[in-house]
Amino acid sequence: MPAARNSGDEIISTPLLVGEREEDQEQSGANDQLNLEAGDKYSPPLERNNHQERIHGDTSKTAHQINEDSWANAAAVLITCNNSAYILSYSESIMVHLGWRGGVVGLFVATALSLYASTLPAKLHQLGGRRHIRYRDLAGYIYGKKGYNILWLLQYLNLFMASTGFIILAGSVIQGVCTLFMDDKALKISYCNLIAGLTFFIFAIMVPHLSALASWLRISAFLTAIYVFVTLALCIRDGIKAPTRDYNIPGTQVGLIFMTIGSISNLFVPLNAGMIPEIQATLKAPVVENMMKALYAQFTLGVIPIYAVILIGYWAYGSGTSSYLLNNASGPIWAKALANIAAFLQSIINFHIMACPSYEYFDTKYEVKGGAFAPKALSFRIKIRGSYLIVSSLVAAILPFIGDFIGLIGSICVVPLTFVIPNHMYLTIKKNLNSVQKLWHWFNVIIFSILSVAATVASVRLIVIDSKNYKIFGD
């Protein structure tokens, strides 16, 4: 029988794949054979024992809405994640330490590698006659309990640090706006982070799940256009008027090594969210084909604003580029205020996207279902999401280093989740790869594992250095 819904939009598990028609059930065994390369034979998935079955569970069981969205909606989610206000920090965290040649070449290479790596979990979304709507479920199916737990830990750290980073970013924006109108009487950054956390909390209890963001994604696109175009206009204006800029890479010899490693890792942060299966879960059938369309949109149209802001920002200010680009920009106060406010509001939506997998875990675990303002669901979201925001806000207030957070997110989470694990999953599932294909995937596993470890060391070193002159809850 097909999937059913109750009056509160609750998902009810059924024996069929979510969104599968009864007349299509006979084709479900062919789901695993999607998107194989020409001449590549299908290798059946690993045999699953009872222990793995208990870990994996029924992947169609979720308190959040799935199987409802078009590929365009998924593309909008991906592009929103990539074009967050974080892009106002990448001119400094990438270009200043790589320079023109390394930065430009690195961006294009990172884009190509990220597109390819993102397609791997997308192609593995349907295995064993079912959909794997969470990244950790896919890992549990392939690796068992240990793989499930390790990936969930990595993904949770990634989403938590990215969410905390959005609070730090939003706090910086609030402080920037205050500085425009209050001069040296601006609020401390730690207070601004707490204000940002409170604002995010209000939004979190109003929007129950990822699919409920549909109308908000259009608002997000409008807000993104505002801060991107205003920032570009201010940077171009400053770049034309400014004298010759210094593009020399700053730092001591030892410092340059660590900063270069960190910046290489940072190349992948604006292009990857580390939650492909969760976004793919919202799609209508055919889920693999639709996800591929969304990914192609993300890595073509979606990267244009990223490239523009990163490259023009660096062109305008050179090695003196700030970790928040609007701090460099001169021009009318109203323009800078408009861009900052748009960046702040867009960060609220982006925070919710990154926090949704964590919200879904608790909502499903405690079977909290119903509409956005159903009393029981609303009360639960206030308690659970409120706790999540309190912890995130406190971390943001204690360590408000946005540039350092970007580096740590990229090294410890984004690189393993985007490159190491998907390539190894592909090797594990597809036994009939030729020697060249195997060598390619093992190359990615090894190289990106080394990069992850080296960049994590570099990021921790930078946080330690920056923390020496910082007092907790200071400015």
Side-chain angles (χ1 to χ4, degrees):
M1 64 180 178
R5 291 181 180 274
N6 64 15
S7 58
D9 283 338
E10 301 172 7
I11 306 296
I12 300 177
S13 302
T14 72
L16 296 183
L17 294 177
V18 179
E20 183 182 35
R21 299 172 298 177
E22 288 187 41
E23 59 267 29
D24 291 338
Q25 188 176 22
E26 61 189 30
Q27 301 177 5
S28 64
N31 285 338
D32 294 345
Q33 303 182 43
L34 293 172
N35 293 286
L36 297 178
E37 288 88 350
D40 187 26
K41 295 180 180 180
Y42 170 66
S43 296
L46 301 178
E47 292 295 327
R48 292 166 55 198
N49 54 36
N50 291 335
H51 183 67
Q52 284 176 302
E53 181 69 35
R54 290 196 301 272
I55 292 300
H56 188 272
D58 182 2
T59 54
S60 66
K61 184 179 180 181
T62 175
H64 286 197
Q65 181 173 299
I66 59 174
N67 196 51
E68 293 290 327
D69 297 342
S70 67
W71 70 265
N73 197 76
V77 172
L78 290 165
I79 293 171
T80 297
C81 287
N82 293 157
N83 287 280
S84 69
Y86 270 139
I87 65 175
L88 301 178
S89 300
Y90 295 138
S91 294
E92 187 272 338
S93 65
I94 294 173
M95 297 300 297
V96 168
H97 306 293
L98 293 180
W100 277 116
R101 185 178 301 174
V104 172
V105 173
L107 281 171
F108 283 102
V109 171
T111 301
L113 290 174
S114 296
L115 171 58
Y116 177 76
S118 296
T119 64
L120 299 181
K123 291 177 181 179
L124 298 178
H125 189 75
Q126 292 176 300
L127 289 175
R130 66 169 64 197
R131 293 178 64 178
H132 302 265
I133 63 173
R134 307 174 188 90
Y135 204 168
R136 62 185 184 273
D137 291 337
L138 180 59
Y141 178 84
I142 296 172
Y143 302 121
K145 182 179 181 179
K146 184 178 291 186
Y148 177 98
N149 290 335
I150 291 174
L151 193 136
W152 182 216
L153 176 62
L154 276 175
Q155 189 182 37
Y156 183 81
L157 284 173
N158 176 50
L159 299 175
F160 177 77
M161 288 197 296
S163 300
T164 302
F166 277 117
I167 295 176
I168 296 173
L169 177 63
S172 299
V173 172
I174 293 173
Q175 188 182 53
V177 173
C178 292
T179 302
L180 290 174
F181 297 101
M182 300 170 61
D183 296 325
D184 58 348
K185 297 180 181 179
L187 291 174
K188 290 184 176 181
I189 187 64
S190 54
Y191 298 160
C192 294
N193 290 341
L194 294 174
I195 294 171
L198 176 61
T199 309
F200 288 10
F201 166 70
I202 294 171
F203 187 82
I205 63 174
M206 293 172 55
V207 183
H209 48 71
L210 200 57
S211 290
L213 280 170
S215 58
W216 290 103
L217 292 174
R218 290 188 283 272
I219 295 173
S220 174
F222 176 70
L223 294 170
T224 301
I226 290 175
Y227 67 72
V228 166
F229 284 120
V230 172
T231 300
L232 291 177
L234 294 176
C235 289
I236 292 171
R237 175 181 178 273
D238 289 348
I240 293 173
K241 291 184 176 181
T244 303
R245 270 80 70 195
D246 178 13
Y247 296 110
N248 292 321
I249 300 175
T252 62
Q253 186 173 3
V254 174
L256 281 174
I257 295 173
F258 284 104
M259 295 305 298
T260 300
I261 293 172
S263 294
I264 292 173
S265 174
N266 292 344
L267 285 166
F268 301 100
V269 178
L271 302 167
N272 301 283
M275 49 186 289
I276 294 295
E278 286 80 4
I279 296 174
Q280 192 170 5
T282 67
L283 289 174
K284 300 175 182 177
V287 291
V288 175
E289 179 182 335
N290 284 334
M291 192 63 192
M292 297 299 287
K293 290 179 181 178
L295 289 171
Y296 293 144
Q298 173 196 356
F299 285 99
T300 51
L301 296 176
V303 299
I304 294 174
I306 299 174
Y307 284 2
V309 171
I310 292 174
L311 299 179
I312 292 177
Y314 182 60
W315 166 78
Y317 307 112
S319 59
T321 304
S322 168
S323 61
Y324 183 63
L325 198 54
L326 285 172
N327 288 341
N328 284 109
S330 61
I333 290 179
W334 66 265
K336 294 180 67 175
L338 177 64
N340 275 298
I341 292 171
F344 171 73
L345 295 175
Q346 202 266 3
S347 296
I348 298 174
I349 299 171
N350 245 308
F351 176 94
H352 195 74
I353 292 174
M354 301 305 293
C356 265
S358 300
Y359 296 161
E360 189 272 339
Y361 170 78
F362 289 107
D363 291 349
T364 301
K365 181 178 176 65
Y366 294 101
E367 298 182 348
V368 177
K369 306 174 183 178
F373 297 103
K376 180 181 177 181
L378 183 61
S379 174
F380 183 83
R381 286 198 297 274
I382 289 173
K383 289 184 290 186
I384 294 298
R385 300 185 184 188
S387 300
Y388 185 89
L389 265 298
I390 288 172
V391 175
S392 300
S393 299
L394 287 175
V395 173
I398 292 171
L399 292 172
F401 309 124
I402 183 63
D404 299 356
F405 252 83
I406 290 174
L408 195 59
I409 292 169
S411 61
I412 202 170
C413 299
V414 172
V415 172
L417 287 170
T418 304
F419 298 99
V420 179
I421 294 173
N423 276 280
H424 192 268
M425 283 180 168
Y426 217 62
L427 281 164
T428 303
I429 288 296
K430 299 185 69 177
K431 301 295 186 181
N432 291 354
L433 297 174
N434 61 44
S435 58
V436 174
Q437 290 172 322
K438 289 181 179 179
L439 183 62
W440 165 249
H441 287 291
W442 275 117
F443 174 81
N444 278 275
V445 170
I446 294 170
I447 291 299
F448 282 106
S449 295
I450 294 172
L451 175 62
S452 176
V453 172
T456 299
V457 172
S459 297
V460 171
R461 173 183 177 273
L462 188 59
I463 290 174
V464 170
I465 291 173
D466 288 344
S467 299
K468 288 181 178 178
N469 298 319
Y470 176 75
K471 296 180 181 179
I472 292 180
F473 298 108
D475 193 11

